[in-house]
Amino acid sequence: MKLPCITMLATLLLTRPATAQLQIAPPATIPSVAPEKQKPKPHALTKKKEAAPAPKPSPSPSASPKPSPSPKPAATVIPAPPTDNSNADLVFGAYQRGQYKTAFDLATARAQAGDPKAMTMLGELYSNAMGIRRDYAKAAEWYKRAADAGDREAMFALAMLRISGRGGSLDKSEAVKLMASAAKLGEPKAAYNLALLYLDGQTLPQDVRRSAELLRQAADAGLPEAQYALATFYKEGTGVPKDPERAVRLLQAASLADNVDAEVEYAIAMFNGTGTPKNQPAAVALLRKASRQGSAIAQNRLAWVLINGVGAPVDKVEGFKWHLVAKTSGKGDPELDKQLSDLPAEDRAKAEAAAKKWLGAK
């Protein structure tokens, strides 16, 4: 059975048809599931083979942002603020402002009074060493109490601890049950991660239809990672009827939420007119955005576009700058290397200086 091409960092093939017009082709890789998301690369999901990178379970269950953003926090749970409890709102408010010790003290009092959201908050603080020393065992304790009280975010957070073996023994069976319960209660990240487990076929029997259902649930809730993954299902007809137009709509939604991988594929779709009207200037603008966000694939595609002047004016210095930047991330391109060697020495020096300046400013 053909699996969908869900990819975080992958090789894109660029072909030049007989018309000499550039065509950008999307990545093609097979996903795999890992137990938990790693610390940032930045944008590093740890070094993988370029031919087979994949999304990993996302450990952050809520939609609320952290006050001090970290690109990809490990085992992070950010509880949604309750709307009907002013005391609990104070807890979350302190958390959002980065006043973790205050949040800890307030959450402790609320948790002792039986507030599940406050229990989840304590799990978050212990799990991520915020205002208190990191203690996965205590985090698991509080998450369990909150999960037993029906808090879906705590269920998901505890599942991520169980599947990684933190704060207790590794227990994939319990993790799956907790994820399923959280997903049933509407936790999108639980649905997304459960979908990955069904897709991977190791922890759970492979079931692409069930995976697609769960991805749809998470995508409908607005989770960009799920929108991006589900787009690949519709693009290839895996677990769902093949539907390029729906795939593009999902890529658009995910790219609007700043999912870099979706930005790249949506740009490619617009550049080629696949599932959407061709719009090369808009595609180039999106490639520029993804390039500035550190996507080596986007940088390589943008280099080709600028060097060949398709969808944008020819700018070889800028184009080769992005080629050199992409090369430092492992996205080399022998053909562009050859063209760079043929560039006049003055322009080559400008491109190298521009690449060095951009890399130094990161």
Side-chain angles (χ1 to χ4, degrees):
M1 177 183 293
K2 184 180 179 184
L3 291 178
C5 305
I6 302 173
T7 171
M8 298 302 265
L9 294 175
T11 303
L12 284 141
L13 303 176
L14 181 66
T15 59
R16 279 182 287 178
T19 60
Q21 182 178 17
L22 292 180
Q23 170 126 7
I24 305 178
T29 56
I30 296 176
S32 64
V33 177
E36 77 175 298
K37 202 167 265 186
Q38 302 294 320
K39 286 273 187 180
K41 47 168 156 195
H43 187 349
L45 275 37
T46 51
K47 182 75 173 173
K48 297 188 195 278
K49 289 184 179 178
E50 186 163 295
K56 293 180 173 184
S58 168
S60 182
S62 95
S64 304
K66 294 174 72 167
S68 304
S70 163
K72 297 204 184 269
T76 300
V77 178
I78 304 177
T83 58
D84 58 352
N85 188 315
S86 59
N87 289 324
D89 279 339
L90 291 174
V91 176
F92 190 77
Y95 176 87
Q96 283 190 310
R97 291 190 297 273
Q99 298 170 349
Y100 302 128
K101 184 62 171 66
T102 299
F104 178 82
D105 292 340
L106 292 171
T108 298
R110 293 298 310 158
Q112 289 171 350
D115 186 341
K117 287 294 180 186
M119 296 173 192
T120 302
M121 174 64 78
L122 288 175
E124 153 77 357
L125 297 174
Y126 273 117
S127 182
N128 292 281
M130 294 172 168
I132 195 73
R133 185 175 179 177
R134 177 176 281 113
D135 189 328
Y136 288 121
K138 286 186 179 178
E141 239 178 77
W142 283 112
Y143 285 144
K144 187 170 190 323
R145 288 181 61 179
D148 289 345
D151 188 85
R152 68 188 191 187
E153 292 160 351
M155 292 174 190
F156 176 63
L158 183 58
M160 297 309 295
L161 289 182
R162 293 291 184 250
I163 209 167
S164 65
R166 290 179 174 173
S169 58
L170 186 148
D171 191 335
K172 292 185 178 181
S173 177
E174 184 188 1
V176 168
K177 289 177 183 176
L178 285 162
M179 274 189 201
S181 295
K184 190 173 182 179
L185 289 172
E187 173 50 55
K189 287 185 182 288
Y192 171 69
N193 282 276
L194 199 56
L196 295 184
L197 294 179
Y198 275 114
L199 182 63
D200 181 58
Q202 294 184 32
T203 302
L204 290 170
Q206 188 178 79
D207 186 337
V208 293
R209 290 184 184 276
R210 179 59 179 149
S211 181
E213 289 171 4
L214 288 161
L215 286 176
R216 189 181 298 111
Q217 177 184 328
D220 288 347
L223 189 68
E225 295 88 347
Q227 292 166 340
Y228 171 59
L230 186 59
T232 69
F233 277 59
Y234 279 110
K235 183 173 65 176
E236 299 182 13
T238 304
V240 293
K242 192 171 184 177
D243 190 338
E245 292 183 358
R246 188 163 185 178
V248 168
R249 289 198 299 272
L250 285 161
L251 289 174
Q252 181 185 34
S255 68
L256 288 172
D258 290 329
N259 183 287
V260 179
D261 306 293
E263 288 173 356
V264 175
E265 289 214 44
Y266 183 45
I268 290 168
M270 286 195 294
F271 191 96
N272 295 330
T274 305
T276 187
K278 183 178 288 190
N279 188 338
Q280 292 183 341
V284 173
L286 198 52
L287 285 175
R288 288 185 189 276
K289 180 185 176 186
S291 294
R292 290 193 295 268
Q293 290 173 296
S295 169
I297 296 171
Q299 291 160 357
N300 176 260
R301 301 303 84 183
L302 182 59
W304 272 99
V305 164
L306 295 175
I307 291 165
N308 290 278
V310 180
V314 173
D315 189 338
K316 294 197 173 183
V317 170
E318 180 75 0
F320 282 114
K321 176 196 91 169
W322 285 117
H323 162 60
L324 293 170
V325 170
K327 194 173 179 179
T328 64
S329 297
K331 191 67 182 73
D333 194 316
E335 176 59 29
L336 290 183
D337 278 337
K338 181 179 181 302
Q339 291 186 43
L340 178 61
S341 67
D342 295 335
L343 199 66
E346 183 180 353
D347 287 342
R348 186 166 63 249
K350 287 179 180 178
E352 290 170 349
K356 185 177 181 180
K357 180 178 179 181
W358 192 89
L359 290 166
K362 285 179 67 177

